Amino acid sequence: MQIGGFVLVFIAFLAIFVLVTVLKTLFTVRTASAGVVERFGKFNRIVRPGLQMLIPFAEQAFIVDLQVKQAQFQVLDDKIFDAFYRLSSPQKQIESFVFNSILGHVPKLTLDETFDQMSGISIAVKNELDATMSGFGFNILTALVTDIIPDSKVKTAMNDINAAQRSQVAAMARGEADKILKVKQAEAEAESKALQGKGIAAERQAIIDGLSASIEHFQQGVKGATSEDVMALVLLTQYFDTLRDIGTRGGTNTLFLPNNPGAAADFQTQILAGLRSGIRHDNPLAPTPVPPPPNQ
């Protein structure tokens, strides 16, 4: 029984040993990866994707990812050895190279040029890093310059400048709008005056036409009446009509008019004198009426 138990223990130990040996002998390299194999701590070979075999307890494999990393770099397929051994922390060291290259370009530009030429900085940094990083086994696909963060004092100054520029543009826009508005108002006023003048002229022409027709009708009905008599009568009638309208309009102040029997004749004389004065003013070449001779 003791011998049987010893055999079982031995078999179990042997099975564990074989399993461990198999696990240490066989390993898989995935696509877009490569394996770096070391034998007793020394580089031995590079293996490609697929099932691979190691010498148990003598060799050890390390996987190198050949995919593009988030920082836009990639291990060169023909320089896997350099990529694995030459840099201890590739991600951080590549970022340090990128920042150092950017700092070499940015001081040559003003702040505004830096913002305007972000894509140009990216291209310049990539061209500079290609030669350097290829020696370490890495290919820099692009050096992304996604943002530029200046010092807080510089940002404050930039904000002040932008605010001043925007205020200036807004003021110019408001001034231009006011100018356009005033021009349009002047044009509208000029057009209104022109239309008003045409209306007044048409109104006066209608009055003249009406007076001319009234004079003709009056002369035809009253034989021996002169044009001046008819004009005086028409103007006097209109004058009294105007007084009536003023008197019946609400809010009109008190009017004092002469009430003697000769008032109408005085009104007629004054209206004709005003008419003659207006005719002479409109036509300086018109003959001056001869006053009647004084009573003998």
mmCIF file of all heavy atoms in Angstrom, residues 258-266:
data_model
loop_
_atom_site.group_PDB
_atom_site.id
_atom_site.type_symbol
_atom_site.label_atom_id
_atom_site.label_comp_id
_atom_site.label_asym_id
_atom_site.label_seq_id
_atom_site.Cartn_x
_atom_site.Cartn_y
_atom_site.Cartn_z
ATOM 1 N N PRO A 258 -64.490 143.432 -38.133
ATOM 2 C CA PRO A 258 -65.301 144.661 -38.254
ATOM 3 C C PRO A 258 -66.718 144.341 -38.690
ATOM 4 O O PRO A 258 -66.921 143.423 -39.497
ATOM 5 C CB PRO A 258 -64.544 145.479 -39.307
ATOM 6 C CG PRO A 258 -63.746 144.471 -40.069
ATOM 7 C CD PRO A 258 -63.390 143.396 -39.102
ATOM 8 N N ASN A 259 -67.694 145.093 -38.178
ATOM 9 C CA ASN A 259 -69.098 144.803 -38.484
ATOM 10 C C ASN A 259 -69.840 145.986 -39.095
ATOM 11 O O ASN A 259 -71.068 146.004 -39.134
ATOM 12 C CB ASN A 259 -69.838 144.347 -37.222
ATOM 13 C CG ASN A 259 -69.785 145.395 -36.107
ATOM 14 O OD1 ASN A 259 -69.140 146.421 -36.275
ATOM 15 N ND2 ASN A 259 -70.463 145.120 -35.001
ATOM 16 N N ASN A 260 -69.086 147.018 -39.545
ATOM 17 C CA ASN A 260 -69.756 148.162 -40.150
ATOM 18 C C ASN A 260 -70.223 147.793 -41.557
ATOM 19 O O ASN A 260 -69.720 146.832 -42.157
ATOM 20 C CB ASN A 260 -68.815 149.368 -40.185
ATOM 21 C CG ASN A 260 -67.530 149.071 -40.934
ATOM 22 O OD1 ASN A 260 -66.956 148.014 -40.751
ATOM 23 N ND2 ASN A 260 -67.092 149.998 -41.766
ATOM 24 N N PRO A 261 -71.164 148.519 -42.141
ATOM 25 C CA PRO A 261 -71.698 148.151 -43.463
ATOM 26 C C PRO A 261 -70.652 148.138 -44.569
ATOM 27 O O PRO A 261 -70.777 147.406 -45.540
ATOM 28 C CB PRO A 261 -72.763 149.237 -43.719
ATOM 29 C CG PRO A 261 -73.152 149.699 -42.358
ATOM 30 C CD PRO A 261 -71.910 149.628 -41.514
ATOM 31 N N GLY A 262 -69.573 148.931 -44.436
ATOM 32 C CA GLY A 262 -68.552 148.958 -45.492
ATOM 33 C C GLY A 262 -67.444 147.957 -45.292
ATOM 34 O O GLY A 262 -66.430 148.017 -45.989
ATOM 35 N N ALA A 263 -67.611 147.034 -44.330
ATOM 36 C CA ALA A 263 -66.538 146.058 -44.060
ATOM 37 C C ALA A 263 -66.305 145.137 -45.242
ATOM 38 O O ALA A 263 -65.178 144.806 -45.583
ATOM 39 C CB ALA A 263 -66.885 145.264 -42.808
ATOM 40 N N ALA A 264 -67.398 144.715 -45.885
ATOM 41 C CA ALA A 264 -67.245 143.793 -47.024
ATOM 42 C C ALA A 264 -66.453 144.450 -48.149
ATOM 43 O O ALA A 264 -65.605 143.824 -48.796
ATOM 44 C CB ALA A 264 -68.614 143.335 -47.517
ATOM 45 N N ALA A 265 -66.762 145.744 -48.399
ATOM 46 C CA ALA A 265 -66.016 146.459 -49.448
ATOM 47 C C ALA A 265 -64.550 146.587 -49.082
ATOM 48 O O ALA A 265 -63.662 146.458 -49.943
ATOM 49 C CB ALA A 265 -66.638 147.846 -49.676
ATOM 50 N N ASP A 266 -64.269 146.833 -47.795
ATOM 51 C CA ASP A 266 -62.868 146.908 -47.367
ATOM 52 C C ASP A 266 -62.163 145.564 -47.560
ATOM 53 O O ASP A 266 -61.011 145.511 -48.012
ATOM 54 C CB ASP A 266 -62.815 147.328 -45.898
ATOM 55 C CG ASP A 266 -63.289 148.771 -45.700
ATOM 56 O OD1 ASP A 266 -63.246 149.539 -46.688
ATOM 57 O OD2 ASP A 266 -63.664 149.087 -44.547
#
